[in-house]
Amino acid sequence: MNGLYTALMCSFHDDGRVNEQGLREIVRYNLDVQQVDGLYVNGSTGENFLISTEQKKQIFRVVKDEVEDEAKLIAQVGSLNIDEATDLAQYATDLGYNAISAVTPFYYKFDFDEIKDYYFTILDSVDNDLIIYSIPALTGVNMNLEQFGELFAHDRIIGVKFTAPDFFLLERIRHQFPDKLIYSGFDEMLLPASVLNIDGAIGSTFNINGKRARQIFELAQNGQLNEARDVQKVTNDLITDVLSNGLYPTIKEILKVQGVDAGTLRKPMKPLTADGAKEAERIANTFIT
Ligand code: HMN
């Protein structure tokens, strides 16, 4: 399960339905052009928290059908509705997903016992491994080293998608849990995370910049830090421009410039203005080869 995983975008029609053909095109572009090792399906980047249970299942189905056994698949099933989370975990497992992942429960201020119960309930419902999805900036849930340890005590919690700029905690987790998988979640920090000996990364910008992400990761693993820094610099120039133009709509527009039908966004996310679309085209022409 090591390696680079794209946090997969999804293509939607203007009326909000899943654009299945567009979704297949995004999958193919990631596998054939960006050449990532796997896909992280129905994460934040997939607009997961804006769609229905049936649409989540539809996306799991279409992606598996397109990928078959060409790449590893991780299904993000986390939900505030525990019944939905267990239902999706079983669904993705039956489809053959290699692992499931669940975002920490958010919105209400759950205490750690409740968070632990959430993960163990999902695991009890399914015969698959689980990767914790930790993204404190969006969820408000900050877990400490001891709490990660309590979760990692479960032998089917195999790792964490660590989307935080806390390199002290990342290093401590790496040191204390050498057998667990750590995936870095912030693409602009891939190099410092790689230096700390992570097992892989999961990123939204890999949809358009997966090849550079691989260079950074592999150069760092080989100890070629100056070269890795150069590639991270170009990557961060790209990410700076993408973030200032609007993360998800800009990635979608860049995919369109590459000939991929990335469709529109689910409300309440808004599409790019005409000027924003022009800027996305400039970014694509500047950075995407
Ligand atoms: C997902 O669940 O879609 C991703 O794994 C999330 C991923 O960590 C991204 N975070 C967010 O979109 C909030 C990053 O790839 C991020 O988009 C990128 O580093 C730019 O900041």
Side-chain angles (χ1 to χ4, degrees):
M1 294 295 291
N2 294 33
L4 300 179
Y5 290 70
T6 297
L8 193 68
M9 294 237 109
C10 185
S11 180
F12 294 99
H13 292 292
D14 289 344
D15 61 8
R17 284 175 305 120
V18 174
N19 175 348
E20 288 197 5
Q21 182 51 35
L23 176 57
R24 286 179 189 276
E25 289 180 25
I26 297 174
V27 168
R28 286 261 57 95
Y29 182 75
N30 270 288
L31 299 189
D32 299 341
V33 179
Q34 298 301 334
Q35 301 193 335
V36 290
D37 301 304
L39 304 174
Y40 187 84
V41 184
N42 282 337
S44 317
T45 309
E47 298 167 65
N48 172 73
F49 303 103
L50 308 177
I51 62 178
S52 70
T53 309
E54 274 319 305
Q55 287 180 313
K56 294 175 192 182
K57 290 183 176 177
Q58 180 186 10
I59 292 166
F60 283 142
R61 218 166 41 234
V62 171
V63 172
K64 177 63 187 174
D65 185 61
E66 188 61 45
V67 173
E68 295 183 332
D69 294 323
E70 269 182 73
K72 298 271 192 243
L73 291 176
I74 301 173
Q76 199 294 121
V77 302
S79 170
L80 284 185
N81 178 338
I82 194 80
D83 297 332
E84 184 191 41
T86 56
D87 181 27
L88 292 172
Q90 287 161 10
Y91 192 82
T93 299
D94 290 347
L95 283 172
Y97 274 67
N98 302 89
I100 55 171
S101 178
V103 69
T104 51
F106 52 93
Y107 189 77
Y108 300 103
K109 300 284 175 218
F110 299 106
D111 67 24
F112 181 68
D113 287 340
E114 292 168 324
I115 294 173
K116 193 169 151 185
D117 182 61
Y118 161 89
Y119 280 113
F120 286 16
T121 302
I122 295 173
L123 279 161
D124 283 346
S125 76
V126 75
D127 183 16
N128 205 345
D129 295 328
L130 183 142
I131 295 157
I132 300 161
Y133 177 10
S134 175
I135 181 162
L138 293 186
T139 59
V141 179
N142 276 288
M143 291 191 294
N144 61 34
L145 186 63
E146 289 69 32
Q147 291 169 335
F148 275 109
E150 280 196 44
L151 296 178
F152 283 153
H154 194 301
D155 62 353
R156 283 193 290 120
I157 297 190
I158 59 169
V160 58
K161 170 168 135 45
F162 188 92
T163 309
D166 187 343
F167 292 102
F168 182 24
L169 179 59
L170 177 59
E171 188 280 335
R172 292 289 83 188
I173 295 175
R174 172 71 304 162
H175 175 75
Q176 196 142 328
F177 306 104
D179 299 333
K180 299 291 179 180
L181 294 165
I182 303 179
Y183 301 95
S184 166
F186 273 132
D187 315 348
E188 51 277 46
M189 303 175 202
L190 178 56
L191 172 56
S194 300
V195 169
L196 291 174
N197 211 14
I198 52 172
D199 302 286
I202 299 169
S204 65
T205 63
F206 300 175
N207 281 282
I208 51 171
N209 195 49
K211 284 183 284 190
R212 283 198 192 92
R214 180 170 306 283
Q215 288 175 341
I216 296 166
F217 186 55
E218 292 183 351
L219 286 167
Q221 283 181 323
N222 292 336
Q224 294 172 269
L225 296 185
N226 287 336
E227 292 84 346
R229 215 165 12 233
D230 290 344
V231 186
Q232 184 75 69
K233 190 258 172 205
V234 180
T235 289
N236 287 1
D237 289 344
L238 162 67
I239 292 178
T240 301
D241 288 353
V242 167
L243 288 176
S244 66
N245 199 49
L247 177 63
Y248 301 140
T250 303
I251 294 177
K252 285 200 172 179
E253 197 61 35
I254 291 174
L255 283 168
K256 285 184 202 165
V257 175
Q258 307 309 306
V260 177
D261 180 9
T264 187
L265 295 125
R266 289 277 307 186
K267 282 177 188 293
M269 288 194 189
K270 60 178 193 301
L272 294 176
T273 60
D275 281 351
K278 242 189 248 161
E279 169 63 2
E281 196 175 333
R282 183 199 66 77
I283 298 170
N285 292 331
T286 308
F287 292 103
I288 312 300
T289 50

